[in-house]
Each structure stands twice: as C-alpha cells, then as structure tokens.
Amino acid sequence: MAVLPIRIFGDPALRARAAEVTDFDDVLRRLAGDMMETMRQAHGAGLAANQVGVLKRLFTWQTGEDEHGAVANPVLLESSEETQEGEEGCLSFPGLWYPTRRPLRVRMRVQDVRGEEHEVEGKELLARILLHELDHLNGILFIDHLARHDRKEAMGRIRAGELEHPRPHDHPGAEPPVA
Ligand code: ZN
C-alpha cells in the first residue's frame, strides 16, 4: 500500500463532483487500501477520493483501531433534524478547526469495494465523518458550513498562507477530528 499526497484547498479536485464507481475491481480495491493507509498516516478520521485527486465516489473512514471502512457510492437516506455542534477539521485544510453544525444521526446506503450494498447508520462522530466525506464527493467543503464570521476568518487565514504553515491546535493532544 502507498501513502498518497493529499490535495490542499485551492486544488480543483476538491470542488469537483466525483463520478459513480462502476468497476469494483482490483484497481478500486488498491485505491481504497492506499486511501486507508494515507488517512491513517495523516491521523485522519476520513478521507475522500477527491482529496487524493481521484474523482470517484469513494471514501474511507475510521473511528477507532477496529472501526473503519471503505465506502463507495454513498446515498443519504435520512439525517436527523436534531443537530450537533463541534469543532471539525479537514485534511485538505491543515491546522484549521472550526465549530461545524451537523445532523446528529444519519443513515446511508453504500456499496463496499466488492459492490455489495449495505446500509450504514452513524451518530455523533461517525455521522459527522460520513456527512463530511459525502460532501467531499459533491465538491462541498466544511468551510461551506461555517457561521459567516468563522468562514470569513478562515478565508483570511488561508489567504495569509496558514495552510502551508499550519499551526497546532490550541489544545494539543485533544485535536478534533480531521476528515
Ligand atoms: Zn475533509
């Protein structure tokens, strides 16, 4: 397995809509394996194919050592009206974390890397990751969900070059998830 370079905000792949996965072959499984490796190496909770420059509807996620997966062609079936707010980051925005409101629970129809259909349900952190990754496949980024003043501040920090020289989180050791 290989660690792939992660695209940073400004790269057009991050604003593109990824295409449906149609071939559940060794190429897809190798990509999923490389993405899993890349996500782990970067201490991410999720990684979408757009983030490594591949416009396929595929993402990986992990919430713990034994809780992880690779998902193709996710379709949102249900998201709760009840929301959660928490700090969120993104591997394509190194060093930026902002409070991001998301539904508390979601249900998605997905395919695994062999093409088998499954339903996944997530709440709290997993719901946040699943929605963050589904967004990526549609060219939507977490900064799009921020409160206006936070988004303005984030864009200012990006323009000032902070993505190239990310600063550590204010509470080291307790970094919120990046995906
Ligand atoms: Zn992200």
Side-chain angles (χ1 to χ4, degrees):
M1 280 188 278
V3 171
L4 308 170
I6 296 175
R7 306 289 178 97
I8 301 303
F9 178 64
D11 188 301
L14 296 173
R15 282 302 190 189
R17 186 185 188 278
E20 301 289 317
V21 172
T22 52
D23 297 327
F24 294 87
D25 55 9
D26 286 347
V27 175
L28 182 76
R29 285 186 281 277
R30 190 174 320 122
L31 173 62
D34 289 349
M35 285 171 55
M36 190 70 81
E37 186 82 1
T38 304
M39 175 182 72
R40 289 196 162 137
Q41 201 249 3
H43 304 289
L47 182 72
N50 306 46
Q51 291 177 282
V52 293
V54 179
L55 296 180
K56 287 184 182 176
R57 301 186 81 72
L58 176 72
F59 68 73
T60 56
W61 62 271
Q62 72 170 354
T63 53
E65 196 60 38
D66 299 320
E67 307 275 310
H68 54 83
V71 156
N73 299 334
V75 176
L76 186 62
L77 298 176
E78 203 180 341
S79 58
S80 64
E81 276 182 36
E82 197 179 349
T83 59
Q84 55 177 328
E85 190 172 75
E87 280 204 310
E88 191 171 312
C90 177
L91 293 172
S92 297
F93 292 81
L96 257 55
W97 287 270
Y98 282 98
T100 309
R101 188 169 289 284
R102 300 275 187 188
L104 185 63
R105 286 180 301 275
V106 294
R107 204 156 57 81
M108 287 184 188
R109 187 173 68 235
V110 304
Q111 285 173 283
D112 63 26
V113 291
R114 307 199 172 272
E116 303 271 334
E117 281 203 9
H118 304 270
E119 224 175 86
V120 293
E121 274 186 55
K123 63 173 184 174
E124 296 167 350
L125 176 60
L126 183 55
R128 182 178 291 284
I129 297 167
L130 293 172
L131 289 163
H132 182 115
E133 300 315 323
L134 176 61
D135 273 354
H136 269 304
L137 303 181
N138 293 325
I140 298 167
L141 299 168
F142 91 111
I143 54 165
D144 302 337
H145 292 286
L146 302 186
R148 185 179 299 213
H149 57 277
D150 282 342
R151 186 184 159 98
K152 207 173 154 197
E153 186 196 289
M155 292 310 294
R157 290 173 61 186
I158 291 164
R159 274 192 295 271
E162 278 198 35
L163 296 185
E164 285 71 37
H165 304 284
R167 60 184 188 198
H169 191 252
D170 298 339
H171 307 287
E175 276 101 357
V178 286

